[in-house]
Amino acid sequence: MNTGNSDGISVEILSQDGKSIWTADLFEDGDPADETAARYRHAIPSWHGLSAAGEAIGPIVYANYGTKDDFDKLDAMGVDLTGKVVLARYGGIVRGLKIKGAEERGAVGILIYSDPRDDGSVVVENGYLPYPAGPARNPTSIQRGSVQYLSIYPGDPTTPGYPAYENATRTEGGNIPHIPSLPLSWANAQYLLEQELGGVTEGRKLDGKGWKSCNQDGQ
């Protein structure tokens, strides 16, 4: 299984000439009011277990929950995800299936974020303070976890159907992604929506905006 390495993980917005103009802070805020969070702020970066390694560069396209229905709607609009980076929110289906759907449609990478719309009424917009000052989600919180394709088979990717004993015969993993993915905080996703997809409200519409903008600009 891969491990999170903050030295090799980044999310950036690039200029037309390929220079970095913004770099995401991929750590949670570590507010001193939560002593444990403050102490271990840099212990585990943004990271998906069993994600593919690699670099993904391309225009960003919003895909809602990244379900089959969401991807089918983009397909029906004529949105080509080949060479694109998908932005999807947590929920609806397990992480791995979001990545599988993006991969099958030619995307080069996927970012999955926690959206406060899925937190019910206990949100900052309704006057609740974010954790640790209050019960609302902290905007820098990151949901980590495995992105294994559990619908293919569970367990050790290299020993399908049998235990991963020390002397077990191993194969290439057939239930893991082949494109890189990262989990994002709402704070980072919000910035991407504002800067790349026309704002938080417009950016979270399932309309292929990033793809359309890319083709109109001729990039």
Side-chain angles (χ1 to χ4, degrees):
M1 184 172 176
N2 61 342
T3 56
N5 179 0
S6 60
D7 292 334
I9 295 175
S10 67
V11 173
E12 301 177 321
I13 294 177
L14 304 179
S15 64
Q16 294 291 330
D17 58 1
K19 295 181 179 179
S20 176
I21 57 177
W22 174 78
T23 300
D25 182 353
L26 298 178
F27 290 92
E28 290 153 307
D29 70 0
D31 192 306
D34 181 331
E35 294 182 3
T36 301
R39 184 180 306 116
Y40 296 107
R41 180 178 188 270
H42 295 98
I44 304 175
S46 172
W47 167 64
H48 276 149
L50 297 174
S51 171
E55 181 179 73
I57 299 177
I60 194 166
V61 177
Y62 180 72
N64 195 31
Y65 287 115
T67 63
K68 183 180 184 300
D69 285 346
D70 290 329
F71 284 125
D72 285 347
K73 288 175 182 177
L74 290 174
D75 289 341
M77 295 177 211
V79 178
D80 183 3
L81 292 180
T82 302
K84 309 304 188 299
V85 175
V86 170
L87 177 66
R89 57 172 161 156
Y90 275 111
I93 56 174
V94 297
R95 305 175 195 91
L97 291 181
K98 300 175 190 287
I99 300 169
K100 189 172 186 291
E103 180 182 311
E104 290 173 345
R105 289 164 176 80
V108 294
I110 178 169
L111 302 169
I112 308 177
Y113 74 97
S114 300
D115 195 310
R117 289 181 296 175
D118 298 310
D119 291 342
S121 62
V122 185
V123 293
V124 172
E125 287 74 11
N126 289 339
Y128 293 94
L129 293 174
Y131 180 86
R137 180 191 297 274
N138 187 298
T140 70
S141 67
I142 298 169
Q143 183 188 141
R144 303 164 182 82
S146 170
V147 292
Q148 185 178 66
Y149 296 167
L150 291 172
S151 57
I152 297 178
Y153 62 87
D156 190 320
T158 65
T159 57
Y162 51 93
Y165 294 130
E166 183 178 355
N167 61 348
T169 300
R170 297 182 180 272
T171 64
E172 289 294 324
N175 65 341
I176 53 178
H178 295 91
I179 61 173
S181 69
L182 278 178
L184 284 185
S185 67
W186 167 238
N188 284 326
Q190 184 177 20
Y191 190 86
L192 289 174
L193 290 164
E194 291 170 347
Q195 298 300 314
E196 297 297 302
L197 295 173
V200 171
T201 300
E202 288 298 313
R204 291 186 293 181
K205 292 179 179 178
L206 191 65
D207 58 8
K209 183 185 298 293
W211 177 81
K212 293 175 184 177
S213 174
C214 169
N215 282 270
Q216 289 169 356
D217 293 341
Q219 299 173 15

